[in-house]
Amino acid sequence: MNYFLRIKKNVVVRSFLVMLFVFLTGGILYGQPVSQTFNTSGTYTVPAGYSAIVTIEAWGAGAGGGSGAAERGGGGGGAYASSTTTLSAGSYTVTIGTGGAVGAVGGNSSFTSLVIGAGGSSTTTATGGAGGTVAASIGTIRFAGGAGGNAGNSNSAGGGGGGSATSSAIGGAGGTGLNGNNATGGVGGTGQGNGGAGSENTNLATAVAGTAPGGGGGGRASNATTSAAGANGRVIVTVNTVLPVKISNIKAFEKLQGIQIDWTTYSEENLSKYQVERSADGLRFSSIGEVAARNITAASNYGFFDANPLLGVSFYRLRSVDLDGKFAYSSIVKVNLDKSNKEITIYPNPATGGFVALQSADLSKGNYSVKLFNAGGQQVYTQRFIHTGGSINQTIQLPAVIKSGMYTMQLDNDGLKVMSKVFMVQ
């Protein structure tokens, strides 16, 4: 009897521990990629052994209502951006834009550099701030945030904050504040996150903060104490399809007069073949050859030689096909045969938060200097660094002298210009 009682007790304890784990993890038993909503910055993880087709959505943060001692316009709402893509196993940085304080812009929300929703702009006048723009966002679908409403004329009410964009439309613009004593403040614009109302022109007037994600803050009236803050942004990752990964360590590199693609596989049960696909833009792929699978459970190395590569940049991926016709894709790798035209990007653009990064997948070894020039052509900053070759992500902390506006970044290698690009500082 005691033996069976002990078994029953162990079962109860184990069941309780499982229920406790499910409760603490929000009802999710992790083990494969899951959908996740981010209201604060964090990391999204695709566990080893999986890849996933996901839809990533990002809303930029709303800006605060206008700053100053008179009636002010409302803050602009955050933009929306989304893309559907395949993520391989690994960890991905998620940044949530912070809602702007009074007179401050809303921060960008991003999923690495794949999707970026731009934050709204604020104002120092009675004219409302602009919403987050499509140009400053990244994604296959993009909509601008709503503009903040204007304040009324002299001795009047504040403008309403702009609403953030939705997945199908631009955000609603904030309403205009009315004129005169005891006038009503502008209503907040509607969107995924609504803008806050502007304050009424009374001694007890209070502007309303925007709602998440990305609503702009309401503007102050002429005799109100202050405008209101914008709301934080948001990122949502929705898993559409989970794919078991059978390919790892894929790489492509120049060899002789062509491109060599190598990869390692594991768990090849019921696998038929690997199709090698190539693209000129990383979006539209076509098959250039096949490699038969060995169908073994141990790790196995494969290779394929592209004897007729594209000029310039080529993208490669593998399509593993099961015996029953099901298939999965590997991650995408890129090779640039044009050594005189390496792809160098500046991120984020517009730059916010006092920093900007210089990124490249293939930069030669050397002693580099980064120079920044203002719109008038004056050099305002320089930074030197040594690069050992290959990929680079060089962060540049912008000094206090760098104000909002257009700048040119020039990259030199031992005194020779490598690239020159224009970017914006918010």
Side-chain angles (χ1 to χ4, degrees), residues 39 43 71 73 76 102 127 137-138 160 167 178 195 223 242 254 275 289 348 365 373 375-376 383 388 421:
N39 291 309
T43 301
E71 58 276 347
V102 175
T127 302
S137 302
I138 295 177
S167 60
L178 301 182
N223 59 359
V242 176
E254 185 177 358
Q275 294 176 329
K365 176 182 179 181
F373 299 87
Q383 175 178 318
T388 57
K421 290 191 176 183

Side-chain angles (χ1 to χ4, degrees), residues 14-415:
R14 290 172 184 171
S15 299
F16 171 77
L17 292 175
V18 171
M19 292 174 64
L20 179 62
F21 175 79
V22 173
F23 172 78
L24 292 176
T25 58
I28 301 173
L29 289 172
Y30 291 97
Q32 65 181 37
V34 295
S35 299
Q36 196 167 351
T37 297
F38 291 87
N39 291 309
T40 58
S41 299
T43 301
Y44 182 78
T45 301
V46 178
Y50 292 95
S51 65
I53 300 175
V54 301
T55 298
I56 304 165
E57 301 175 284
W59 287 266
S67 61
E71 58 276 347
R72 290 291 180 259
Y80 169 87
S82 72
S83 288
T84 297
T85 187
T86 300
L87 298 180
S88 57
S91 296
Y92 300 85
T93 300
V94 178
T95 301
I96 303 301
T98 301
V102 175
V105 300
N108 295 344
S109 295
S110 63
F111 186 96
T112 63
S113 59
L114 293 175
V115 178
I116 299 176
S121 296
S122 189
T123 179
T124 58
T125 68
T127 302
T133 65
V134 168
S137 302
I138 295 177
T140 55
I141 299 174
R142 293 172 292 170
F143 291 101
N150 298 335
N153 296 328
S154 178
N155 192 32
S156 59
S164 64
T166 70
S167 60
S168 60
I170 63 175
T176 301
L178 301 182
N179 300 326
N181 292 328
N182 301 321
T184 303
V187 297
T190 59
Q192 190 72 25
N194 294 332
S199 62
E200 297 181 356
N201 193 18
T202 66
N203 291 329
L204 300 177
T206 302
V208 179
T211 59
R220 59 161 284 160
S222 61
N223 59 359
T225 54
T226 184
S227 297
N232 292 344
R234 180 175 294 164
V235 170
I236 297 178
V237 182
T238 303
V239 176
N240 302 318
T241 305
V242 176
L243 304 171
V245 173
K246 298 179 179 179
I247 304 168
S248 64
N249 300 326
I250 178 174
K251 57 184 178 180
F253 53 92
E254 185 177 358
K255 180 181 179 181
L256 300 176
Q257 301 301 314
I259 300 295
Q260 178 69 30
I261 302 98
D262 290 336
W263 66 96
T264 302
T265 68
Y266 58 93
S267 184
E268 287 186 328
E269 185 178 358
N270 297 320
L271 192 64
S272 171
K273 59 188 175 183
Y274 298 97
Q275 294 176 329
V276 182
E277 298 183 347
R278 185 181 65 193
S279 169
D281 58 10
L283 299 174
R284 295 177 290 271
F285 285 83
S286 58
S287 177
I288 59 172
E290 296 182 354
V291 177
R294 302 186 182 109
N295 238 320
I296 58 178
T297 57
S300 185
N301 295 320
Y302 288 87
F304 179 88
F305 184 69
D306 182 5
N308 298 292
L310 302 175
L311 296 177
V313 177
S314 295
F315 299 85
Y316 295 92
R317 71 181 182 187
L318 300 171
R319 188 174 187 258
S320 59
V321 183
D322 290 345
L323 295 174
D324 59 5
K326 295 180 180 179
F327 61 89
Y329 289 108
S330 72
S331 57
I332 298 172
V333 293
K334 181 176 72 173
V335 178
N336 186 1
L337 293 182
D338 186 358
K339 300 304 181 183
S340 64
N341 186 28
K342 298 182 178 68
E343 183 180 354
I344 302 173
T345 58
I346 298 173
Y347 171 80
N349 189 7
T352 58
F355 75 92
V356 67
L358 184 72
Q359 299 177 335
S360 175
D362 182 18
L363 191 63
S364 302
K365 176 182 179 181
N367 297 314
Y368 287 88
S369 63
V370 175
K371 301 175 183 177
L372 300 185
F373 299 87
N374 62 21
Q378 299 172 310
Q379 183 175 329
V380 294
Y381 179 72
T382 184
Q383 175 178 318
R384 293 177 174 81
F385 63 92
I386 299 174
H387 182 53
T388 57
S391 62
I392 185 174
N393 188 347
Q394 181 72 25
T395 299
I396 300 166
Q397 186 71 44
L398 300 176
V401 296
I402 302 293
K403 306 299 182 183
S404 297
M406 300 296 294
Y407 292 84
T408 299
M409 178 184 291
Q410 178 176 311
L411 179 67
D412 296 343
N413 183 4
D414 289 329

